[in-house]
Amino acid sequence: VGRGAAAVSRAIEIFNRFPREITEAFERGELRQAHLNHFWRLEDRATILALWRAIKSGELTGCQAREKAHRIDDHWLPGDREKLRDNLEADPVISPLLGDEIRVANLMNKSRLTIEYTDKKRFWELVGILARRAVKKSKGKSN
């Protein structure tokens, strides 16, 4: 068929991976392969359907749906890493921990953020702050 084995396997997997509404839209040509690629890593079928329906109804452009899918999947979009660094540096609790002892690095790698440190105590303090905030945020979502 002129495609590699991985591409063929993935094309077949579309029909197992996605809800019927998605596969039918794809077969009718209403949904492009690019959208499926954006939705591929999303585990929640309801989320996939919600994004597709938002595209279909015109609430979201394909580009906006891609950005949302990437955010849901916790993948970094261009500029996100820099925003994270800026937010860390502006945070009144975290910014005093940053500097020569703790440095946010490796922002060029698409999905990796590296925190370099020389002061282990300050590093663990930072980890504790981030962990408490993550727990607080997850509790807020469940309410």
Side-chain angles (χ1 to χ4, degrees):
V1 295
R3 301 281 183 154
V8 171
S9 292
R10 191 167 184 163
I12 292 169
E13 182 62 20
I14 286 170
F15 297 97
N16 296 326
R17 176 99 174 104
F18 293 110
R20 183 180 209 89
E21 185 177 332
I22 297 289
T23 57
E24 289 173 355
F26 180 67
E27 287 178 322
R28 289 189 304 269
E30 297 172 358
L31 186 64
R32 297 188 336 249
Q33 179 72 39
H35 292 115
L36 295 179
N37 292 340
H38 302 316
F39 299 160
W40 192 263
R41 290 180 168 239
L42 297 176
E43 297 294 328
D44 183 23
R45 293 166 74 92
T47 302
I48 295 168
L49 278 172
L51 284 173
W52 159 239
R53 290 172 181 158
I55 292 169
K56 186 176 178 182
S57 69
E59 294 172 40
L60 289 177
T61 66
C63 184
Q64 290 168 329
R66 172 186 56 100
E67 289 180 12
K68 259 191 177 240
H70 280 285
R71 289 191 193 287
I72 291 167
D73 189 35
D74 279 336
H75 279 75
W76 300 96
L77 292 175
D80 280 350
R81 296 173 302 279
E82 291 76 11
K83 286 180 196 170
L84 175 61
R85 183 188 56 211
D86 293 345
N87 286 335
L88 289 174
E89 290 173 351
D91 188 295
V93 176
I94 294 174
S95 64
L97 296 172
L98 303 177
D100 291 337
E101 294 85 7
I102 298 177
R103 189 168 63 90
V104 177
N106 200 14
L107 295 172
M108 298 308 288
N109 190 319
K110 183 176 180 186
S111 61
R112 180 179 298 153
L113 172 73
T114 303
I115 299 177
E116 297 175 355
Y117 63 92
T118 55
D119 184 328
K120 197 180 275 190
K121 182 180 177 196
R122 288 175 67 155
F123 170 74
W124 284 112
E125 191 176 339
L126 174 63
V127 169
I129 290 167
L130 295 174
R132 285 189 295 278
R133 288 185 181 180
V135 168
K136 190 181 218 181
K137 198 175 216 180
S138 68
K139 285 183 180 178
K141 285 183 181 179
S142 64
N143 291 337

